[in-house]
């Protein structure tokens, strides 16, 4: 069987809407350098590198080749994985499996994006099938708005419920020096922000950011030497759905439910709300912060609004969600899901600064992308 | 370490202007690979697709094939690059203990895209891209550098094209089986000196799939005859800018090859057949140097001596190679499949007698910046 | 699968991905391009650790991963390490009408080469080992094409 693997170092850039001070390769180098510093190591200790982003956001073919100066990848094993919004967790999973396989002792995962360098929605629209769905498909906001209005009708969720999530995450971001959008926001501010696509308003929706994230995964023997409190990988699971938008189930998130249940099984989680000390979730829009909770078995079907209104997911609640500010505060797409894993790891390692939740033993991180695809990581302070 | 076997393979015929869609091509080869392994899609517990958003003209290009690859409701992921790297990740997922049986599938339709424009986007938009470099012109720079360093000639490179197109006449999957001469290659249209049309691989469409299985399940699932083991692999990346490298230096390939040989516990003498990345004729002798089969600078001369023909000690590219069909993401995976067929003794009229250990090689990036080397064995 | 085409017309949709891009040049190459544009000079940078001199400049040494703050002005001259004469037209890509010459030029005072065009000479006269110097555009906008081409020198 494979080796046990822990995260021993994490680095991320200061994310922003336009990082005009740094080229793509420089943004990558910034994250890599900080990751090496966090792990108190050098590139010599990195055996292999996995990188990912989304091609049409920067128009760089063979990003794994172009990035070697920033990665420190010259004369090292490097390859690229990419799956859309889930790219960050895809990169993390590839680094995890590479180490667990016994082929490499330490593997660095790097996700990055400079969304300022293109028209994000124009690029995303090309994910739809060119002969069936591309012409009517209009980017990421429409499907998210549609699924929440269905959920509102089915379960009595409200626009305010989403606004509570938006305000929670945006205020949490004030504690995160790396976050892109850091501003004090009230529920009223969210409700009064411009309507993008009913019921999604401007402050409900994620931004597009420039940034990068790097995470070093190490096999047990190495991890114990490199870090006094590694974040051990207890589970990594991916589930994909149909690939035509018209075929999807919109009222709940089948992929998220299937992926989390499998991950809980691997990690021995039976009561996620009680057993997780913190969750960093890829919720591209505050509405999903209400709607998707039941698919993770955080509550009964349709009970997301009740959980949100109870305050259980706030910083002082029983299951704090997105202490970092989450995706509505920061979204360099190819890095976004890896930042979830990185933030969850920092919570376990006790390195989360002003956003630290006390004594985190188990953390959940997710990725979302593609055609309603879900990735799930379970991290723990104890060996799996 | 547990071993991983290839238990099923499938490939389309490689052609230009195929009218099947990506997902139809993948459907065809995924089914062929499952049938070859004698299993159903239910026994596949994870999928690695290989695709490129650039060549597919689609963001999240894996969306086109994640249904027909068998990925629905499964753990599926995507490698962007050559198929050999997809096999690498597929194997590591099994060795991690998380999975038992991996479908690895690649697709490519060069006929639906613009090779020059797309390979131009491999160059840094901040420096070289505006000069208009692409795969052929940058490879031409590498070819000339190699001639300068090795003393090789265009005629010696042409012999590679003659040999590989000739081998393709024995491969029903190849796109360009041709009985040609050195004179034909030399007289073909000059694209970017010293590269002529017949020194360059064609624009190809096609797909290929392999099913990988952990040792623990492979022995239950298939017969001894079908199983071919992935015994060694190595990959390594060189510097990015062409001017950062000596284009005739194969240090990244040397490092990748050493790792693969050490892991498999083989020496060069053990290798019976090799599928080497020959998107351009000069690449075959250059990479044969990196792989250790020729001393540095001796590749062209050894080609001239006929050292790598089908009836030689070490037949190279019995399939016809990339010169005879180059569906970019698929290319190295097709080489892996050829090695599987050779080790099984199923390579038909191009069968290398007694082949037990085979080498497959793929590259990423321009002028062979990154290499992946495989050792397969019975 | 092969015979469906005899029953149904093959339909093909043309398409194009139209996304505008703007690439941030960053600290290292911005400095390089401003020097080229304003002063007509080609600079390189040197690794403080191993001494390797890079042109175009690097953000990090590719051998040592050290920051590169040590700048050196190059004479601009160099030697053709390899070249190709591009004969076949590539619409939309060619910087000029074929035949024209690309080369890797090993730059004097640096350890690396630059890829650029060779001009001011008949393509068939270009040779490996030829000494060349840059010819700059008069109007420069801070891009690699501020160097019009490299031309042979005695
Ligand atoms: Zn150095």
């Amino acid at each position: 069987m494979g080796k046990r693997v822990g995260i021993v170092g994490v680095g991320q850039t200061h994310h922003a809407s336009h990082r005009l001070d740094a080229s793509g390769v420089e943004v990558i180098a910034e994250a890599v350098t900080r990751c090496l510093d966090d792990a108190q190591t050098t590139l010599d200790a990195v055996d292999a590198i996995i990188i990912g982003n989304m091609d049409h956001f920067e128009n760089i073919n063979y990003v794994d080749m172009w990035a070697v100066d920033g990665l420190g990848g010259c004369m090292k094993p490097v390859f690229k994985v990419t799956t859309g919004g889930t790219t960050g967790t895809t990169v993390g999973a590839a680094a995890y499996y590479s180490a667990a396989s016994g082929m490499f002792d330490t593997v660095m995962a790097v996700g990055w994006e400079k969304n300022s360098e293109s028209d994000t929605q124009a690029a995303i629209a090309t994910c739809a099938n060119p002969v069936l769905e591309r012409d009517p498909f209009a980017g990421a906001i429409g499907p998210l708005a549609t699924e929440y209005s269905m959920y509102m009708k089915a379960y009595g969720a409200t626009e305010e419920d989403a606004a509570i999530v938006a305000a929670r995450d945006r205020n949490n971001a004030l504690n995160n020096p790396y976050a892109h959008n850091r501003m004090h926001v009230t529920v009223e501010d969210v409700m009064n922000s411009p309507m993008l696509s009913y019921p999604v308003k401007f402050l409900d929706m994620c931004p597009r950011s420039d940034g990068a994230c790097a995470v070093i995964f190490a096999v047990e023997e190495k991890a114990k030497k490199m870090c006094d409190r590694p974040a051990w990988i207890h589970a990594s699971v991916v589930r994909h759905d149909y690939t035509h938008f018209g075929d999807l189930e919109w009222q709940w998130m089948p992929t998220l439910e299937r992926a989390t249940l499998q991950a809980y099984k691997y990690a021995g989680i039976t009561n996620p709300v009680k057993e997780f000390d913190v969750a960093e979730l890829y919720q591209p829009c505050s509405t999903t912060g209400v709607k998707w909770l039941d698919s993770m078995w955080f509550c009964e079907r349709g009970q997301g609004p009740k959980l949100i209104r109870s305050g259980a997911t706030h910083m002082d609640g029983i299951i704090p969600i997105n202490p970092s500010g989450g995706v509505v505060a920061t979204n360099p797409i190819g890095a976004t899901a890896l930042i979830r894993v990185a933030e969850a790891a920092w919570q376990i390692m006790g390195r989360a600064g002003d956003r630290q939740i006390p004594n985190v033993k188990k953390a959940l991180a997710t990725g979302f992308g593609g055609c309603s695809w879900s990735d799930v990581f379970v991290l723990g302070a104890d060996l799996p | 370490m547990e071993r991983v076997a290839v238990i099923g393979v499938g490939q389309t015929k490689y052609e230009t202007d195929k009218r099947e869609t990506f997902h139809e091509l993948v459907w065809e080869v995924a089914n062929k690979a499952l049938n070859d392994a004698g299993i159903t899609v239910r026994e596949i517990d994870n999928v690695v697709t290989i695709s490129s958003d650039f060549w597919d003209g689609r963001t999240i290009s894996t969306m086109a094939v994640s249904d027909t690859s068998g990925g629905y409701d499964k753990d599926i992921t995507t490698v962007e690059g050559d198929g050999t790297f997809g096999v690498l990740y597929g194997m590591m997922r099994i060795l991690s203990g998380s999975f038992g049986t991996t479908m690895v599938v690649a697709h490519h339709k060069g006929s639906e895209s613009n090779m020059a424009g797309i390979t131009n986007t491999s160059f840094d938009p901040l420096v070289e891209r505006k000069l208009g470099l692409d795969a052929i012109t940058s490879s031409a720079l590498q070819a000339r550098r190699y001639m300068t360093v090795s003393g090789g000639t265009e005629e010696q490179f042409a012999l590679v094209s003659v040999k590989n197109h000739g081998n393709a006449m024995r491969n029903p999957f190849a796109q360009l089986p041709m009985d040609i001469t050195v004179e034909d290659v030399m007289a073909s249209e000059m694209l970017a000196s010293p590269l002529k049309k017949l020194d360059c691989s064609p624009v190809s469409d096609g797909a290929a799939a392999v099913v990988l299985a952990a040792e623990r399940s492979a022995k239950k699932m298939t017969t001894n005859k079908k199983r071919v083991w992935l015994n060694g692999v190595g990959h390594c990346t060189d510097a990015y800018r062409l001017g950062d490298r000596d284009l005739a230096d194969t240090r990244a390939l040397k490092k990748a090859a050493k790792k693969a040989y050490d892991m498999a516990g083989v020496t060069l003498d053990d290798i019976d057949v090799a599928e080497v990345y020959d998107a351009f004729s000069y690449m075959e002798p250059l990479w044969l140097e990196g792989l250790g089969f020729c001393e540095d600078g001796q590749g062209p001369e050894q080609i001239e001596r006929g050292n790598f023909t089908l009836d030689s000690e070490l037949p190279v590219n019995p399939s016809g190679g990339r010169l005879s069909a180059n569906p970019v993401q698929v290319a190295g995976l097709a080489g892996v499949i050829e090695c599987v067929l050779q080790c099984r003794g199923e390579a038909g009229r191009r069968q290398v007698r007694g082949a037990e250990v085979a080498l497959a090689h793929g590259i990423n990036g321009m002028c062979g910046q990154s290499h992946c080397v495989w050792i397969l064995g019975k | 699968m092969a015979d469906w085409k005899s029953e149904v017309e093959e339909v093909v949709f043309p398409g194009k991905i139209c996304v505008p891009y703007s690439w941030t040049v960053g600290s290292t190459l911005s400095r390089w391009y401003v020097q080229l544009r304003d002063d007509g000079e080609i600079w390189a940078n040197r690794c403080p650790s191993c001494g390797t001199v890079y042109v175009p400049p690097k953000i990090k040494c590719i051998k040592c991963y050290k920051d590169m703050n040590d700048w050196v002005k190059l004479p601009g001259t160099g030697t053709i390490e390899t070249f190709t004469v591009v004969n076949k037209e590539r619409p939309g890509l060619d910087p000029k009408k074929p035949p024209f010459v690309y080369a890797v030029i090993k730059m004097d005072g640096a350890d690396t080469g630059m890829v650029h065009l060779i001009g001011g000479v008949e393509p068939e006269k270009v040779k490996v080992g030829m000494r060349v110097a840059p010819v700059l555009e008069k109007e420069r906008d801070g891009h690699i094409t501020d160097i019009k081409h490299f031309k042979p020198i005695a």
Side-chain angles (χ1 to χ4, degrees):
Chain A
M1 287 307 278
K3 299 195 172 204
R4 293 189 285 197
V5 172
I7 290 171
V8 297
V10 163
Q12 56 182 311
T13 54
H14 283 78
H15 313 294
S17 70
H18 292 73
R19 282 291 307 267
L20 296 181
D21 61 317
S23 66
V25 175
E26 286 171 335
V27 166
I28 290 167
E30 188 175 312
V32 168
T33 305
R34 289 177 178 181
C35 180
L36 293 169
D37 290 348
D38 190 56
Q40 294 181 299
T41 189
T42 66
L43 269 172
D44 294 336
V46 175
D47 297 332
I49 300 170
I50 317 271
I51 184 173
N53 75 316
M54 285 176 68
D55 293 352
H56 290 143
F57 289 148
E58 297 85 5
N59 201 30
I60 313 283
N61 197 1
Y62 291 111
V63 150
D64 47 344
M65 303 292 104
W66 161 87
V68 289
D69 292 3
L71 290 173
C74 186
M75 293 309 285
K76 279 190 191 294
V78 183
F79 71 86
K80 176 181 179 188
V81 292
T82 178
T83 56
T86 42
T87 291
T89 32
T90 297
V91 173
Y96 163 56
Y97 294 128
S98 299
S101 72
M103 295 272 299
F104 302 99
D105 285 346
T106 48
V107 185
M108 184 165 62
V110 179
W112 75 283
E113 213 77 75
K114 285 204 78 180
N115 282 106
S116 69
E117 298 197 343
S118 71
D119 181 331
T120 303
Q121 293 309 320
I124 286 182
T126 70
C127 79
N129 182 315
V131 301
L132 279 176
E133 293 183 320
R134 188 171 297 180
D135 289 340
F137 182 73
I141 302 172
L144 293 167
T146 311
E147 66 154 27
Y148 194 60
S149 63
M150 287 172 75
Y151 186 81
M152 287 165 66
K153 183 153 184 285
Y155 297 111
T158 64
E159 294 176 58
E160 283 82 0
D161 293 330
I164 295 170
V165 172
R168 179 199 71 198
D169 283 1
R170 290 178 182 282
N171 291 334
N172 284 354
L174 290 167
N175 294 325
N176 177 4
Y178 301 102
H180 164 185
N181 281 325
R182 304 175 71 207
M183 50 181 174
H184 179 69
V185 165
T186 64
V187 172
E188 292 70 44
D189 294 336
V190 180
M191 293 298 290
N192 291 331
S193 66
M195 187 67 78
L196 299 179
S197 176
Y198 174 83
V200 172
K201 291 170 257 344
F202 182 72
L203 289 175
D204 288 316
M205 196 64 197
C206 61
R208 39 171 235 174
S209 316
D210 288 356
C213 179
V215 178
I216 296 178
F217 293 73
V219 294
E220 183 178 351
E221 319 82 92
K222 282 274 161 110
K224 283 176 172 165
K225 276 186 207 144
M226 293 174 83
C227 183
D228 52 7
R229 192 176 159 92
W232 300 103
I233 312 300
H234 287 226
S236 164
V237 178
V238 171
R239 287 294 179 270
H240 278 200
D241 210 328
Y242 301 112
T243 48
H244 289 126
F245 289 94
D247 292 340
L248 295 176
E249 163 65 51
W250 292 103
Q251 205 148 300
W252 56 293
M253 265 291 271
T255 58
L256 186 59
E257 181 152 315
R258 291 166 187 155
T260 45
L261 290 184
Q262 185 64 55
Y264 294 169
K265 202 170 145 196
Y266 287 150
I269 303 280
T270 51
N271 186 337
V273 169
K274 277 218 174 94
E275 290 172 62
F276 286 120
D277 302 302
V278 63
E280 276 286 340
L281 307 178
Y282 194 130
Q283 296 170 338
C285 179
S286 64
T287 54
T288 67
V290 182
K291 178 176 172 279
W292 295 354
L293 294 178
D294 54 13
S295 293
M296 293 186 299
W297 286 35
F298 276 30
C299 56
E300 296 291 316
R301 184 80 76 219
Q303 296 301 301
K306 202 172 132 200
L307 191 67
I308 292 300
R309 288 172 208 161
S310 76
T313 65
H314 284 67
M315 284 298 277
D316 54 358
I318 176 175
I319 173 69
I321 292 178
N322 297 336
S324 69
V327 183
V328 298
T330 307
N331 187 30
I333 298 178
T336 301
L338 188 61
I339 295 171
R340 307 280 71 72
V341 177
E343 286 284 339
W346 259 350
Q347 289 286 350
I348 285 174
M349 296 157 97
R351 297 179 188 170
D354 292 343
R355 60 197 182 285
Q356 180 70 48
I357 306 293
N359 194 30
V360 173
K361 303 272 281 182
K362 280 236 166 74
L364 177 69
T366 63
F368 161 81
C371 208
S372 277
W373 295 340
S374 296
D375 293 8
V376 173
F377 268 89
V378 176
L379 307 181
D382 298 324
L383 271 166
Chain B
M1 193 185 282
E2 190 181 36
R3 288 196 300 170
V4 173
V6 179
I7 63 168
V9 300
Q11 53 186 336
T12 61
K13 179 170 169 54
Y14 303 111
E15 300 171 287
T16 192
D17 287 325
K18 271 190 186 290
R19 284 292 177 255
E20 287 77 21
T21 62
F22 297 132
H23 70 266
E24 286 167 332
L25 295 175
V26 165
W27 174 252
E28 177 185 339
V29 296
N31 278 295
K32 280 179 172 172
L34 290 169
N35 290 338
D36 185 48
I39 63 172
T40 70
V41 71
R42 277 187 296 279
E43 286 160 285
I44 299 290
D45 61 12
N46 81 114
V47 176
V48 177
T49 68
I50 297 139
S51 63
S52 159
D53 294 6
F54 281 90
W55 270 284
D56 288 12
R58 181 172 187 173
T59 283
I60 325 180
S61 49
T62 189
M63 277 175 66
V65 300
S66 55
D67 294 357
T68 53
S69 63
Y72 172 73
D73 197 24
K74 292 210 171 93
D75 204 306
I76 170 169
T77 191
T78 300
V79 171
E80 189 170 299
D82 182 67
T84 46
F85 292 84
V87 178
L88 168 68
Y89 187 27
M91 181 178 85
M92 291 196 293
R93 285 162 72 90
I94 290 175
L95 291 176
S96 76
S98 296
F99 303 101
T101 318
T102 307
M103 168 75 76
V104 180
V105 59
H107 66 272
H108 178 85
K109 288 186 82 172
S111 70
E112 291 189 350
S113 48
N114 176 330
M115 179 67 76
I118 287 170
T119 55
N120 175 246
T121 62
S122 309
F123 289 90
D124 191 345
L126 303 181
V127 185
E128 293 91 353
R129 190 181 297 183
K130 206 174 176 184
L131 298 171
L133 289 147
D134 65 352
I136 292 178
T137 52
S138 59
S139 296
L141 293 170
Q142 185 170 41
R144 170 107 50 207
R145 176 65 184 163
Y146 183 39
M147 288 165 67
T148 306
V149 169
S150 69
T153 64
E154 293 181 49
E155 287 80 1
Q156 287 170 325
F157 296 160
L159 279 166
V160 176
S161 181
V162 171
K163 168 176 76 77
N164 292 357
H165 285 295
N167 290 352
M169 295 178 73
R170 296 158 179 260
N171 180 2
F173 297 100
Q175 178 182 341
L176 289 182
M178 290 196 289
D179 182 11
I180 51 171
T181 64
V182 168
E183 291 68 42
D184 294 332
V185 180
M186 294 300 291
S188 65
E189 183 186 6
M190 182 65 83
L191 304 181
S193 70
L195 297 181
K196 295 158 290 291
K197 191 168 182 192
L198 288 174
D199 288 308
C200 303
S201 50
V203 169
S204 308
D205 299 349
V210 296
V211 177
L212 311 182
E215 186 161 15
R216 60 197 122 100
S217 40
K219 288 188 173 169
K220 277 181 275 172
M221 285 173 149
T222 55
T223 59
N224 191 27
K225 188 173 173 302
K226 286 281 182 193
R227 280 193 299 274
V228 175
W229 299 100
L230 296 171
N231 286 331
V233 61
H235 69 299
C236 185
T237 302
D238 206 332
Y240 173 60
R241 293 195 199 287
L242 302 183
D244 289 346
R245 294 182 250 161
D246 178 339
L247 292 175
D249 184 307
T250 58
R251 60 182 187 156
L253 177 56
K254 287 188 168 107
K255 198 169 170 186
K258 180 174 188 320
K259 183 157 187 210
Y261 301 159
D262 289 351
M263 183 177 163
V266 297
T267 65
L268 292 173
D269 289 342
D270 297 323
I271 296 166
D272 301 311
V273 57
E275 281 283 320
V276 176
Y277 204 94
D278 59 333
F280 300 94
S281 58
Y282 75 88
M283 282 188 169
E284 185 177 296
L286 178 58
W287 306 144
L288 283 168
E289 293 175 13
L291 291 165
F293 293 112
C294 310
E295 295 287 313
D296 284 354
Q298 297 299 306
E301 193 190 316
Q302 290 211 33
I303 292 285
E304 190 171 350
R305 286 200 204 133
N307 282 0
F308 307 106
T309 58
L310 258 186
D311 51 7
S312 70
E313 197 81 338
L314 179 75
V316 171
N317 291 322
S319 70
R322 275 34 60 186
L323 283 167
S324 302
N326 187 21
V328 179
Q329 283 76 42
V330 181
L333 189 59
V336 170
I337 291 175
E338 177 68 13
C339 288
V340 170
L341 297 176
Q342 290 286 350
C343 288
R344 286 180 182 173
E346 292 180 358
R349 291 173 52 229
R350 62 193 188 281
Q351 179 66 47
V352 174
R353 201 168 302 148
E356 293 195 350
V357 178
L359 179 149
H361 165 226
I363 69 175
N364 272 345
M366 294 298 104
C367 299
Q369 188 189 340
S370 184
H371 298 263
C372 186
V373 178
W374 281 101
I375 298 294
L376 295 89
K378 272 177 94 162
Chain C
M1 198 97 86
D3 50 359
W4 68 273
K5 285 175 271 187
S6 61
E7 296 163 21
V8 183
E9 180 193 348
E10 304 166 30
V11 181
V12 177
F13 288 173
K16 197 171 191 173
I17 290 182
C18 298
V19 179
Y21 292 98
S22 58
W23 292 289
T24 304
V25 177
S27 63
T28 308
L29 283 170
S30 289
R31 179 169 175 160
W32 193 61
Y33 279 124
V34 169
Q35 282 159 332
L36 177 61
R37 182 192 68 197
D38 295 353
D39 306 328
E41 294 169 353
I42 298 174
W43 286 66
N45 61 4
R46 176 164 48 208
C47 174
S49 180
C50 71
T52 305
V53 177
Y54 294 96
V55 62
K58 291 281 180 205
I59 59 161
K60 301 263 189 187
C61 176
I62 60 176
K63 299 173 193 162
C64 315
Y65 206 66
K66 289 281 189 316
D67 286 332
M68 306 277 289
N69 297 318
D70 192 6
W71 288 79
V72 285
K73 186 181 155 189
L74 300 183
T77 49
T79 305
I80 293 179
E81 189 166 85
T82 181
F83 70 93
T84 177
V85 182
V86 180
N87 274 23
K88 173 91 172 166
E89 271 189 63
R90 301 162 305 149
L93 273 193
D94 289 320
K96 56 208 266 192
K97 198 173 160 41
F100 65 89
V101 179
Y102 286 125
V104 177
I105 300 141
K106 186 77 188 305
M107 298 293 285
D108 293 347
D111 295 299
T112 63
M114 273 179 65
V115 179
H116 219 292
L117 299 158
I118 302 296
V121 56
E122 295 297 315
E124 57 269 24
K125 297 212 170 110
V126 175
K127 295 265 179 305
V128 170
M130 207 172 226
R131 299 281 298 152
V132 292
V135 176
L136 302 185
E137 294 285 0
K138 284 209 174 63
E139 300 286 317
R140 297 191 289 267
D141 62 0
H143 208 291
I144 192 67
T145 44
D146 283 359
I147 304 170
K148 191 178 177 195
H149 53 241
F150 284 77
K151 69 156 199 228
I153 49 174

